[in-house]
Amino acid sequence: MKIMHLVPSLSSGGVEQVVLELCQGLEAQGVECVVVSAGGAMVPMIEATGARHVAMPIGKKSLRTFFLVGKLVKLIRAEKPDVLHLHSRVPAWVGVLACKRLGRRRPAVVTTFHGFHSVNFYSAVMTRGDRVIAVSQCMREHILSNYPKTPPERVVVIPNSVDTAQNYPGYHPSEAWWEQWRRDFPELVGKYTLCLPGRITRIKGAEHLIPILTALRARGIPAHAVIVGETKKGKEALLRELKARFAAAGLEDCVTWTGHRRDLRDVLCACDVTLSLTLQPESFGKTTLDALSLGRAVAGYEHGGVGEQLAVFLPQGRVPACDPQSMADRLAEWYGHPPVPALPIPPPYRREDMINGHTDLYRSLLTRA
């Protein structure tokens, strides 16, 4: 069986990480994977799994991208994949148009809703698969509610996963790592550290840290935010704006901006609480799941995939959506003794379950064909 994955690029990001995990798991099962994208830093990681990468800029939001449909048709005819798996909207449009040209000789098509896209004709292409994967139950409800012409039996829930071999309650950073962490960020010593992971985007809700930190500091709690994430090109003005707002609130010394970190697992363990402050529901929430699996406390707005995770692992971590005062109250309760998540047996969101879910789905399509 051969699967061809279409993604915009292979830079850092949640979708790219899922595709990497799929390639690792599928290749280990003897399933051949080909990834088509514009390339990026994760290409060597993809190729290390045994998968092959084909460079093609199919993710650029430009009319010129549609001139690549013919090139993709030739690639599909040469590779003869059994399944074309579309992971993003622009690549999905290119893939769907290519399949239209191929007619009856096209591969089976699978799409995945990795996020809550704006509801319109452009996004509706993600419902055009023979099967449509939702990464959470709330995502399935979103699809069926906003795209009512989608047959419910075509929408399958396959949650994203956590690598329990890497993220488990007994994990601790090395002493050498701790020494370097303290040297790099001495301002965190003795503080109540609140980790907000994610790229610097407005939707992540970093501005909600201002009322949260203000309320906690007013109670004499030495709260300190640790914002972990890269600032992508085009978001530099937002970073400057956020820093200016923290400074205007007198909180400039209460926030540490680490930038992108490759040691996020260690950072999550080093902080007292991991936060999810997204202004809109997240389809899944991979970083919060990593933190919960590490046995670390997580407090998050109760919507989307994060709300589903907290309902399983740490119900007391759920906070009314977009309510920073309630978040501050919850964090004040936890100061000095953050709760420990419960880990169900068998644990949900396992990597092998995600891989097997995809493999079973692919094979069911080939059987039907």
Side-chain angles (χ1 to χ4, degrees):
M1 184 163 60
K2 181 189 285 190
I3 314 300
M4 181 177 287
H5 299 275
L6 268 58
V7 291
S9 68
L10 287 172
S11 56
S12 62
V15 175
E16 295 90 334
Q17 183 63 35
V18 170
V19 172
L20 173 62
E21 293 166 2
L22 283 174
C23 288
Q24 290 170 336
L26 294 171
E27 288 282 345
Q29 292 184 2
V31 178
E32 187 178 353
C33 291
V34 179
V35 180
V36 182
S37 83
M42 293 178 67
V43 169
M45 300 167 69
I46 290 287
E47 293 177 336
T49 70
R52 289 182 294 114
H53 178 258
V54 177
M56 193 182 298
I58 54 173
K60 190 173 182 180
K61 294 180 180 179
S62 167
L63 289 175
R64 293 182 179 180
T65 303
F66 292 101
F67 288 106
L68 295 172
V69 171
K71 187 175 181 180
L72 182 61
V73 168
K74 291 180 181 178
L75 179 65
I76 293 173
R77 283 175 174 158
E79 292 287 346
K80 297 181 173 60
D82 298 293
V83 177
L84 188 67
H85 194 152
L86 312 174
H87 293 271
S88 187
R89 290 175 292 178
V90 177
W93 274 108
V94 178
V96 165
L97 292 173
C99 286
K100 191 172 182 179
R101 288 196 193 179
L102 290 164
R104 293 173 63 96
R105 295 180 179 272
R106 72 169 176 86
V109 177
V110 173
T111 60
T112 295
F113 271 81
H114 289 283
F116 287 97
H117 306 303
S118 54
V119 179
N120 49 37
F121 176 75
Y122 168 54
S123 300
V125 70
M126 300 305 293
T127 67
R128 300 271 294 270
D130 299 307
R131 289 292 182 275
V132 180
I133 296 175
V135 297
S136 60
Q137 187 60 41
C138 63
M139 177 55 73
R140 184 178 192 274
E141 294 167 1
H142 169 83
I143 296 168
L144 296 178
S145 173
N146 291 285
Y147 302 98
K149 293 183 179 180
T150 306
E153 64 273 12
R154 277 172 41 197
V155 184
V156 181
V157 178
I158 305 179
N160 291 338
S161 66
V162 62
D163 186 352
T164 52
Q166 296 291 321
N167 300 286
Y168 54 91
Y171 175 79
H172 296 287
S174 68
E175 283 301 319
W177 185 90
W178 272 112
E179 290 176 8
Q180 187 63 50
W181 177 255
R182 295 186 188 103
R183 282 197 297 269
D184 291 342
F185 306 109
E187 69 273 17
L188 303 182
V189 176
K191 301 295 176 58
Y192 183 33
T193 47
L194 310 174
C195 180
L196 183 66
R199 295 172 179 168
I200 305 303
T201 60
R202 203 171 295 279
I203 195 173
K204 291 296 183 181
E207 63 266 31
H208 280 202
L209 284 168
I210 295 174
I212 291 169
L213 290 171
T214 300
L216 291 173
R217 306 286 290 196
R219 301 184 195 193
I221 298 174
H224 193 105
V226 182
I227 301 177
V228 186
E230 66 178 325
T231 305
K232 286 212 157 190
K233 187 176 181 180
K235 296 295 182 180
E236 297 88 352
L238 175 59
L239 178 61
R240 291 192 296 271
E241 176 194 330
L242 289 171
K243 288 184 175 182
R245 293 184 64 181
F246 279 105
L251 297 169
E252 188 174 14
D253 296 334
C254 303
V255 182
T256 293
W257 307 80
T258 71
H260 176 64
R261 302 279 302 198
R262 293 186 177 274
D263 55 353
L264 183 58
R265 175 178 59 164
D266 295 310
V267 175
L268 295 174
C269 290
C271 294
D272 294 301
V273 181
T274 296
L275 303 180
S276 175
L277 304 176
T278 53
L279 305 182
Q280 299 175 16
E282 284 197 288
S283 59
F284 186 71
K286 185 169 176 56
T287 307
T288 54
L289 180 59
D290 288 343
L292 290 164
S293 299
L294 287 162
R296 307 303 298 176
V298 173
Y301 287 153
E302 189 182 5
H303 54 193
V306 173
E308 291 182 19
Q309 294 169 17
L310 288 169
V312 174
F313 289 98
L314 192 65
Q316 62 267 44
R318 295 177 293 178
V319 174
C322 300
D323 187 346
Q325 186 56 55
S326 293
M327 179 64 76
D329 293 340
R330 186 63 44 83
L331 294 172
E333 294 170 8
W334 289 2
Y335 177 52
H337 47 83
V340 178
L343 298 179
I345 304 296
Y349 303 108
R350 296 184 304 173
R351 179 67 46 79
E352 55 263 41
D353 293 335
M354 183 192 78
I355 300 301
N356 291 336
H358 281 79
T359 305
D360 292 345
L361 177 63
Y362 296 150
R363 286 182 176 148
S364 71
L365 287 172
L366 300 188
T367 301
R368 288 174 61 86

